[in-house]
């Protein structure tokens, strides 16, 4: 920090230097050193309290059944058991649904999925609690389950009403289009697989209150729900969240269950209580990314330009609404991705099935909507015998025309055309396309594929009121700064970025700033750290708090040293007061003695946004983030195995707050998106039990799945034209959808087998098995002279009122 | 009692539940919480720790550092060894080079997997001479990270391995060697808590006597499968006999016509020996689970647990391997293909154990190909595992031994297919006949890994791949080999 008694020359020299840990610098993650030494404390690492109880929930074995009898008496024969609770023991409200009711803390008379908590046991160890829970007797009477999204859709078995986006007359546009295609696509879900499973630890406090340590993206929601299940006002409950071992959306709503179970048990026993889910229980109990069923009809002209489209996006929501209203909405908002749809009719359905309640996951429905339109782009390209990139570009939103979305927001500051051109050149798309054709011509078994796909992702919570944040800044008399904000750190580097923002305002080194755990006592009524909004919202709130104090300091300094406010300048830990210099510490000391408040809150709400859901029009997004990715894959046509050989990414983060952290988000998002569409497959039994409920059966990418040649760049010199924090852009979710390029490249490799004239019917995820069936389909098409239409057990596509692509004349090469 | 070094601290544990894993021992008994639980099933690597063992290279005694999953390792396995965890790497307030590289490369985000990566990197740096991306892939494929996309972790591996400066463990190596020699086991040890116990014999004869006396005991080799019964199925294993200290059962010997592999030899060691004879065997073992598991798991264990999807049995059956089985004083040799009787049922008698695996060495005219299909290339369980051992002469198949995993309730020979091939001229028409025969050999099941239709078609296509590789070696056939 500050060297005492520095001379004016020394202070002046420091003042001339730039702050190296401010905004725009690749400052290391604030916990990096603690991560690598094991000193970073996660909730399960906290010293346990004396008398600690451990909770284990017995999960339903049935997908849909009435509970006839629960006998908990046998549980008590296991040593160390303190308490067994069922729904009847919850003192306050039983339902912990986040937005809509429907999520009982413990099953209430019936179970609606395999994995639903039926009762909870608290014992002196997790092992004893688990053993005791398994001793309970639960009798069920089976009811008919709905396990399949298609069946739910057919029966109109919904958790919430359907919703429609509409522009123009899609039916007429389809009828009048020179070409029409129709098809279906099944899109798989995704397990979050945060490395730290759901965990909460609760300590009873005075007045019926609770101190709750919870690994959650949404401390205020946990505070509210704990208060509700206990039947106490929210002001009795404090939630503290230092860091999560990953979240990805999975700890937005679904962290609340363990916290509430702990709170109820702590209330009933008076003992500190912890619940950490074993991995398999976590995977059975908690919801995932929504699987989707997409059905579409599209009409287009000879150049592949869209005239009209109808899409039905049916999300498999699981047994309760959770966040599915907004998630299916976001799928609809992103069913255009980067493209002007023409006359459009987009329906979103929220199907109810007897599976875990699907929830937020990075992209929040956006990826599913986007995957559907990317599938359509490829299908059009194959149909017309064009390069898919050409068709994509032809459909890009224009800058001055064709620039209004199907929800009537104008797409401003669209970077995609120039970004696509830049990446196309830097990755040598055309040269590699030619090289791949040559490779495929001489390689009978292995085939290569290439795809360049765009991302346009809308930034803001689509529930407009959530776009608000608070922060709290204190400066202590030694000049050290305490910072708190409403966001949560889950690895994304939010605390580092917010600290850099405050460092920038005060022009002090980031090491002077300490961010404490997110805490509902410090910043109240926070929105979840979600929707990529963490830095946008909390960064602005913290900046506003710091700015408030800085204004007081400037005003004080001007008064104290008899200057105009313009003469007070902050830089690199020093102040210039016209012709003399003082250190930041000296200023703070003087301000304290001068009775200046050195603490302030800050608040921010996003301007400009609104959405009229009745009319399905408005400006739900403050701005869009853009990205483009080009992936090259190698496919084995004998087995369906494949590898990603190279990926080039160009991504837009506006003026980066921290390039190293942003690149980390882009790379991590890309690989997670690739995992969703390739090796990560959720499989359920006929009885509705998740068969892939552990990492032995559910495979997320490993280090070997990442290409040796991965080139990631940020778009340079492109500030966000909107007034965001230092003109940066959000980065959490958008890069996830860059992974779509891998899926499209796999299909490109397979399509090569039929001269790129038919789109292989490969659903997501494109496991080796699905890829092999796509290969078989292409081989049949190639053999056949064209009388057979594409068919497959998976995604299918038929042309309406036209000739099959393989029947059309002409040399496809 | 067992004795081991916890970093530099000598621990003598007299009374511990032998079902206790090293992970729980560290977190709950020693309050060292840097080591994380991500899955408790050996699939994520968050609990990776390093174990140092006495080793001798060119007559020089040294410490060999290997990773293992603390969640799958029972405490008894630490006997006579040194255990290092993420807390032990800092020295004099400075980060270890692998830690510093992780920080400098921005290689941690949420940080939960990071201690495991740090330990894998530490062992990697100790085992390579410089930066080696292929070795880094092998060393790190058993550590899952959900945040970073791995690129910065690979960069950290490169940086840390290029930095050859000695660390505090190099400086203390002579002293550590002396301390480990001082606690080297000299007689059968026993660890127990009054109810459960684990015996740690040092010789095959002692093992044979103990197991004959207590045939209900569970044999613990690497424990990477057995420990799942405790961590995933909450079973209690009252009597364990640990094979990890029986030098004769860890030895791999090469004779003129055969390899003899001790049943308790780590897969890492088997991989080196088998790759020299059969490159495809080595390649496949490189995709067998993870480095942590291969360091701990044994070839005998992979056979002993009789999984229909164990990766080594199909290869060993195709190669005509046999087992040396022992019970008390009596030994017998049994062809491996006769060992598997039904789903998880074997020819092993009560009190009998696998002492060695005998693998014929490669001969002239022999072509051996082995393939593994899984959803994920690394650290995944096979949907189909195929091994083709063909003896070729004058363009014809003299003899064919073909075995598959994942296609039946046991690892099984494809006898109809073999008959179709034997004695015939090797051409495309023959392969198509042999493919048709495979459909008579197997009626595979559908499960979450693959459908029966995929399994059968892929099995046939693997035979086609084998044919292409033998007859048209210029054609690329494996995505794993493409540069």
């Amino acid at each position: 920090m500050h060297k005492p008694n520095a001379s004016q020359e020394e202070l002046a020299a420091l003042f001339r230097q730039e702050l190296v840990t401010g905004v725009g610098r690749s400052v290391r993650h604030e916990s990096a050193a603690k991560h690598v030494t094991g000193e970073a404390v996660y909730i399960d690492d906290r010293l346990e309290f004396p008398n600690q109880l451990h909770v284990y929930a017995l999960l339903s074995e049935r997908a849909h059944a009435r509970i006839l009898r629960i006998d908990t008496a046998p549980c008590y024969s296991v040593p160390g058991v303190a308490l067994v609770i069922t729904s009847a023991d919850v003192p306050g409200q039983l339902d912990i649904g986040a937005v809509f009711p429907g999520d009982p803390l413990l099953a209430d008379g019936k179970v609606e999925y395999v994995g639903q908590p039926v009762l909870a046991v608290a014992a002196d160890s997790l092992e004893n609690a688990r053993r005791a829970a398994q001793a309970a007797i639960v009798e069920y009477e089976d009811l008919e389950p709905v396990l399949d999204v298609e069946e739910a859709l057919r029966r109109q078995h919904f958790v919430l009403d359907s919703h429609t986006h509409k522009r123009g007359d899609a039916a007429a546009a389809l009828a009048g289009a020179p070409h029409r295609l129709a098809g279906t696509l099944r899109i798989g879900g995704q397990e979050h697989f945060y490395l730290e499973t759901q965990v909460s630890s609760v300590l009873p406090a005075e007045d019926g209150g609770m101190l709750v340590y919870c690994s959650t993206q949404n401390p205020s929601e946990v505070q509210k729900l704990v208060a509700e299940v206990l039947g106490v006002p929210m002001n009795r409950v404090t939630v503290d969240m230092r860091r999560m071992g990953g979240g990805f959306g999975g700890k937005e709503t679904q962290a609340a269950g363990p916290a509430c179970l702990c709170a109820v048990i702590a209330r009933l026993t008076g003992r500190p209580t912890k619940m950490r889910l074993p991995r398999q229980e976590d995977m059975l109990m908690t919801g995932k990314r929504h699987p989707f069923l997409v059905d579409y009809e599209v009409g287009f002209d000879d150049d592949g330009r869209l005239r009209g489209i109808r899409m039905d996006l049916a999300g498999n929501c699981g047994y309760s609404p959770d966040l599915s209203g907004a998630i299916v909405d976001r799928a609809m908002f992103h069913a255009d991705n980067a493209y002007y749809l023409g006359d459009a009719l987009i329906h979103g359905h929220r199907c109810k099935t007897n599976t875990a309640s699907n929830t937020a996951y990075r992209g929040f429905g956006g990826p599913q909507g986007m995957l559907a339109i990317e599938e359509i782009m490829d299908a059009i390209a194959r149909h017309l015998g064009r390069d898919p990139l050409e068709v994509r570009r032809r459909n890009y939103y224009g800058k001055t025309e064709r620039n209004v979305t199907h929800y009537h927001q104008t797409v401003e500051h669209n970077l995609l055309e120039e970004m696509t051109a830049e990446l196309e050149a830097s990755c040598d798309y055309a040269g590699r396309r030619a090289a791949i054709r040559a490779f495929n011509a001489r390689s009978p078994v292995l085939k290569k594929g290439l795809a360049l796909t765009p991302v346009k992702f809308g930034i803001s919570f689509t529930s407009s009121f959530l776009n608000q944040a608070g922060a709290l800044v204190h400066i202590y008399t030694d000049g050290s700064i305490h910072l708190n904000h409403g966001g949560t750190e889950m690895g994304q580097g939010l605390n580092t970025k917010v600290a850099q923002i405050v460092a920038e305002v005060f022009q002090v080194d980031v090491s002077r700033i300490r961010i404490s755990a997110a805490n509902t006592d410090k910043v109240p009524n926070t929105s979840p750290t979600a929707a990529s909004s963490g830095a946008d919202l909390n960064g602005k709130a913290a900046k506003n708090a710091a700015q408030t104090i800085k204004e007081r300091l400037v005003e004080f300094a001007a008064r104290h040293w008899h200057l105009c406010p313009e003469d007070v300048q902050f830089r690199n830990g020093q102040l210039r007061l016209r012709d003399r210099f003082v250190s930041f510490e000296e200023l703070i000391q003087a301000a304290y003695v001068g009775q200046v408040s050195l603490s302030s809150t800050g608040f921010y709400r996003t301007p400009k946004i609104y959405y009229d859901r009745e009319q399905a029009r408005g400006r739900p997004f403050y701005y869009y983030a853009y990205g483009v990715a080009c992936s090259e894959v190698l496919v084995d046509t004998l087995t369906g195995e494949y590898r990603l050989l190279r990926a080039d990414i160009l991504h837009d983060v506006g003026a980066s707050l921290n390039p190293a952290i942003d690149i980390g988000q882009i790379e991590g998002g890309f690989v997670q998106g690739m995992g969703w569409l390739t090796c990560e497959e959720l499989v359920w039994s006929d009885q509705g039990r998740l068969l892939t409920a552990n990492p032995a059966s559910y495979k997320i990418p490993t280090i070997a799945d990442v290409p040796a040649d991965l080139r990631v760049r940020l778009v340079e010199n492109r500030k966000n034209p909107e007034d965001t924090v230092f003109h940066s852009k959000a980065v959490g979710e958008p890069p996830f959808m860059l992974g779509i390029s891998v899926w499209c490249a796999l299909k490109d490799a397979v399509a090569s087998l039929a001269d790129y004239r038919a789109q292989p019917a490969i659903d997501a995820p494109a496991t080796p098995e699905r890829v092999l069936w796509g290969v078989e389909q292409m081989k049949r098409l190639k053999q056949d002279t064209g009388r057979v239409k594409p068919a497959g057990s998976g995604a299918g596509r038929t042309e309406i009122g036209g000739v099959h692509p393989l029947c059309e004349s002409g040399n496809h090469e | 009692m067992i004795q081991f070094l916890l970093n530099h601290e000598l621990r003598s544990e007299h009374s511990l539940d032998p079902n206790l894993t090293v992970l729980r021992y560290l977190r709950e008994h020693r309050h060292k919480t840097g080591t994380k639980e991500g899955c408790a099933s050996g699939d994520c690597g968050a609990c990776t720790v390093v174990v140092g063992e006495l080793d001798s290279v060119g007559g020089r005694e040294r410490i060999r550092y290997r990773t293992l999953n603390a969640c799958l390792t029972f405490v008894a396995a630490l006997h006579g060894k040194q255990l290092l965890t993420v807390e032990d790497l800092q020295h004099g307030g400075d980060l270890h080079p692998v830690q510093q590289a992780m920080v400098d490369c921005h290689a941690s985000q949420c940080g939960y997997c990071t201690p495991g990566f740090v330990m894998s990197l530490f062992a990697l740096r100790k085992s390579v001479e410089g930066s080696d991306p292929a070795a880094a892939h092998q060393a790190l494929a058993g550590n899952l990270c959900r945040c970073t996309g791995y690129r910065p972790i690979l960069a950290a591996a490169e940086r840390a391995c290029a930095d050859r400066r000695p660390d505090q463990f190099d400086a203390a190596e002579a002293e550590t060697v002396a301390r480990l020699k001082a606690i080297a086991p000299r007689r059968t040890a026993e660890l127990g808590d009054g109810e459960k116990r684990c015996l740690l014999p040092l010789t095959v004869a002692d093992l044979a006597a103990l197991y004959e006396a207590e045939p209900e005991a569970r044999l613990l080799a690497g424990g990477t499968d057995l420990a799942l019964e405790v961590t995933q199925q909450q079973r209690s294993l009252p009597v364990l006999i640990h094979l990890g200290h029986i030098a004769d059962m860890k030895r791999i010997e090469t004779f003129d016509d055969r390899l003899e592999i001790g049943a308790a030899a780590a897969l890492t060691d088997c991989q080196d020996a088998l790759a020299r004879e059969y490159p495809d065997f080595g390649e496949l073992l490189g995709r067998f689970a993870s480095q942590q598991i291969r360091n701990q798991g044994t070839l005998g264990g992979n056979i002993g647990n009789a999984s229909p999807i164990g990766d080594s049995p199909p290869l060993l059956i195709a190669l005509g391997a046999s087992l040396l089985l022992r019970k008390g004083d009596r030994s017998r040799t049994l062809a491996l293909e006769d060992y598997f009787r039904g789903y998880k049922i074997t020819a092993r008698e009560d009190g009998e154990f696998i002492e060695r695996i005998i693998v014929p060495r490669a001969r002239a005219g022999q072509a051996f190909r082995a393939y593994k299909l899984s959803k994920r290339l690394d650290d995944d369980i096979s949907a189909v595992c195929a091994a083709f051992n063909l003896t070729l002469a004058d363009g014809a198949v003299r003899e064919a031994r073909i075995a598959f995993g994942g296609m039946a309730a046991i690892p099984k020979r494809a006898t109809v297919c073999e008959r179709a091939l034997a004695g015939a001229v090797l051409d495309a028409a023959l392969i198509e006949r042999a493919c048709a025969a495979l459909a008579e050999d197997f009626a595979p099941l559908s499960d979450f890994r693959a459908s029966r239709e995929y399994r059968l078609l892929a099995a046939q296509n693997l035979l086609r791949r084998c044919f292409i590789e033998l007859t048209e070696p210029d054609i690329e056939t494996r995505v794993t080999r493409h540069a």
Side-chain angles (χ1 to χ4, degrees), chain A residues 42-171:
Chain A
Y42 301 80
I43 288 169
D44 195 41
D45 302 337
R46 299 181 63 89
L47 276 178
E48 291 194 350
F49 301 104
N51 253 341
Q52 180 81 48
L53 287 174
H54 298 263
V55 180
Y56 180 88
L58 181 70
L59 306 183
S60 166
E61 291 286 329
R62 311 296 178 93
H64 193 198
R66 221 184 315 280
I67 298 174
L68 300 178
R69 185 170 79 98
I70 299 179
D71 182 0
T72 62
C75 307
Y76 289 96
S77 62
V78 174
V81 172
L83 183 68
V84 186
I85 61 165
T86 66
S87 60
D89 300 305
V90 175
Q93 184 180 305
L94 183 65
D95 201 287
I96 59 164
V99 185
F100 305 96
D103 296 281
L105 179 58
L106 291 167
D108 187 18
K110 64 174 176 177
V111 289
E112 293 196 88
Y113 72 98
V114 176
Q116 183 171 359
V118 174
L119 55 87
V121 179
D124 59 352
S125 71
L126 177 56
E127 288 59 46
N128 285 340
R130 171 150 38 188
R131 207 172 310 140
Q134 275 145 7
I137 297 166
V138 183
E139 284 175 18
Y140 298 101
E141 180 189 34
D142 279 321
L143 302 168
E144 190 198 354
V146 176
L147 298 172
D148 181 59
V149 64
E150 246 163 299
E151 192 191 339
L153 186 61
R154 195 168 54 242
R155 288 164 44 167
Q156 306 253 305
H157 194 51
F158 297 143
V159 293
L160 294 167
D161 290 343
S162 297
H163 185 52
T164 298
H165 290 166
K166 183 171 188 288
R167 178 180 48 209
D169 184 346

Side-chain angles (χ1 to χ4, degrees), chain A residues 364-385:
Chain A
F364 204 74
Q368 293 94 321
M370 238 183 239
L371 191 72
I373 193 70
E374 293 304 336
E375 163 75 8
I376 291 167
M377 286 294 137
D378 277 346
I380 293 171
R382 306 295 176 220
H383 181 80
L384 296 173

